Amino acid sequence: MSDGQPAIRNGGGPRGFAIFMFVAVSLLLAAYTAFWFYMRGELEKGIDEWIATERLNGAVVEFDEKRLGGFPFRFALHLENPNYRDARGIGGWSGEELQLIMQPWNWQHVMARAPGANRALFNGEQTGLTLGPKAVGSLSWTQAGLRRLSIDLDDAEVTLASGETYAATGLQLHMRPPVDDVDALQIVFQWEALTLPQAPPDAPFLGESLQPSRLLLEIKDVFSVLQRGGDVSDWIAAGGEVNAAQVLLNWGPLKFGAKADLSIDSVGLLNGSVDIRLDDGDALTAAMLDSGMDQETFMQASAAVSMLGVASRDGGFLPLSIREGEVRYLGQTLVEIPSLTAPGAGG
């Protein structure tokens, strides 16, 4: 400096801040790494203890390889050729591989994948299940119990012990509380394509292939009843309510839609309202005629289709009421729905 005084160095500034941030981030990464490997050890210990307990109780727990990895953002358990049978041998599951995934910051959510061929055992009956590579399921829970269940299958094929085979594409099932009601249970069930082993014997004109369809239900007060230790009968006794916000069924020539608000009384009878609609009734009528349906049945069915088609114009619905299990239209009983519970249930 011109006055001969020595320059004073500033220990702060950009360089000092950069060094501080580097040290802080390094310490955080080291702490997180230590946490991850510690929790990995705890998880592996818990898994091994569960396997040992199951085997001690008489269950079959087998696999060719077990590894637990996923660092840094998850814990991923991978089992090769897993095979499980309960102690009584009436239930179990086996597959080519099983992956269970959990995030380190969320200990109440597990995702599962089991691509390839699987076999399930229910009461001694073998069911085959082949899943596509993108098929995934997930569970979330709280201290009060299960809160969310999701199944998302890109491709799936189920073969029952009887030999009947069902195939699905883009099948999704989601069960969760809606955002505005934590005590209710929302159910979303939909698929892109569903193939049955055969068409319905009473309606062969529908065929065995279903096109994109969707069901959206909301069941009121489920979790509050479960938290009190109740069951279905307690839910009915509390005045069980179900809202079907959307029902879409595309099955061959049948293009059906509905929405409903229902309640179940103490003896299991339905009450409420149902609105239904039908698109392209002409195609359905033609399919029924081509199926060789007897004349009397065809006349009755085509009359119902025509009436429903008129009500469905311009996005409309045909309104029906349900009183004590009787479905009514303009004061006339169309059909009776039996009690949904055994006599006296919930009473």
Side-chain angles (χ1 to χ4, degrees), residues 218-233:
E218 191 169 303
I219 306 174
K220 300 293 186 179
D221 299 323
V222 170
F223 291 107
S224 59
V225 171
L226 293 178
Q227 288 171 4
R228 296 194 299 268
D231 55 19
V232 173
S233 62

Side-chain angles (χ1 to χ4, degrees), residues 9 25 47 66 113 124 147 174 241 251 265 267 297 319:
R9 295 185 177 182
V25 171
I47 293 168
K66 174 175 69 71
R113 293 181 66 245
R147 294 291 290 184
H174 304 289
E241 297 181 19
W251 191 348
D265 63 23
V267 294
T297 303

Side-chain angles (χ1 to χ4, degrees), residues 194-267:
L194 184 64
T195 303
L196 308 178
Q198 63 180 8
D202 295 334
F205 54 86
L206 293 178
E208 68 277 356
S209 297
L210 286 78
Q211 296 75 50
S213 302
R214 190 170 196 259
L215 171 67
L216 174 58
L217 292 178
E218 191 169 303
I219 306 174
K220 300 293 186 179
D221 299 323
V222 170
F223 291 107
S224 59
V225 171
L226 293 178
Q227 288 171 4
R228 296 194 299 268
D231 55 19
V232 173
S233 62
D234 297 302
W235 175 74
I236 292 175
E241 297 181 19
V242 178
N243 170 256
Q246 186 179 48
V247 180
L248 295 175
L249 179 62
N250 294 306
W251 191 348
L254 176 64
K255 314 298 180 186
F256 176 80
K259 54 185 179 179
D261 282 297
L262 304 171
S263 63
I264 307 174
D265 63 23
S266 60
V267 294

